[in-house]
Amino acid sequence: QVQLVESGGGSVQAGGSLRLSCAASGYTFSSNYMGWFRQAPGKEREGVAVTYVRGGFTYYADSVVGRFTISRDNAKNTVYLQMNSLKPEDTAMYYCAASTNLGYYSEKAQALNLREYNYWGQGTQVTVSS
């Protein structure tokens, strides 16, 4: 079992920045990909940024390229999401997720597919005002 705990959400004005953290515990060696998904009210959950935990592939949703950066600290079993130039449309509940299903050579669409992730955190709210 892998447990994921997110932190760092909050409210910010458009153009501002936030950094989300996801601390993993439990059988973390079984996870291949970890990353961030988000869900806005009335919308489906979507992949934002994911990374192979042992280095290599990192994928971003087109809507966040150039603004968000995912990083990891394997010594702390923690994944981060640095969010800059935030927009009101970034407002959502952000979830950390881990996958034991994906292989190293996963393509972007598959790696950002929420159905490939079998462990989820409780979520942290990000609200961006205009």
Side-chain angles (χ1 to χ4, degrees), residues 12-52:
V12 65
Q13 289 191 328
S17 298
L18 284 172
R19 190 175 83 152
L20 306 183
S21 299
C22 173
S25 60
Y27 189 44
T28 57
F29 293 105
S30 64
S31 297
N32 295 325
Y33 273 82
M34 288 185 65
W36 295 92
F37 293 73
R38 67 185 181 187
Q39 188 167 18
K43 295 188 176 182
E44 293 186 353
R45 193 172 298 188
E46 62 177 359
V48 175
V50 298
T51 184
Y52 186 72

Side-chain angles (χ1 to χ4, degrees), residues 35 50 54 58 64 72 74 97 115:
V50 298
R54 286 174 281 281
T58 297
V64 306
R72 66 193 184 280
N74 290 346
R115 293 172 181 81

Side-chain angles (χ1 to χ4, degrees), residues 21-114:
S21 299
C22 173
S25 60
Y27 189 44
T28 57
F29 293 105
S30 64
S31 297
N32 295 325
Y33 273 82
M34 288 185 65
W36 295 92
F37 293 73
R38 67 185 181 187
Q39 188 167 18
K43 295 188 176 182
E44 293 186 353
R45 193 172 298 188
E46 62 177 359
V48 175
V50 298
T51 184
Y52 186 72
V53 297
R54 286 174 281 281
F57 294 106
T58 297
Y59 298 111
Y60 295 92
D62 292 345
S63 59
V64 306
V65 169
R67 300 189 299 122
F68 290 11
T69 302
I70 188 170
S71 62
R72 66 193 184 280
D73 184 336
N74 290 346
K76 296 181 179 179
N77 289 327
T78 300
V79 173
Y80 304 96
L81 185 67
Q82 178 66 44
M83 304 185 294
N84 297 329
S85 302
L86 282 161
K87 304 176 181 180
E89 51 263 43
D90 294 318
T91 295
M93 184 72 78
Y94 282 70
Y95 297 90
C96 180
S99 172
T100 61
N101 302 323
L102 291 166
Y104 177 67
Y105 291 107
S106 296
E107 295 185 354
K108 176 179 175 178
Q110 186 180 17
L112 288 172
N113 187 338
L114 63 92

Side-chain angles (χ1 to χ4, degrees), residues 1-5 23-28 77:
Q1 291 290 330
V2 177
Q3 293 80 42
L4 305 172
V5 178
S25 60
Y27 189 44
T28 57
N77 289 327

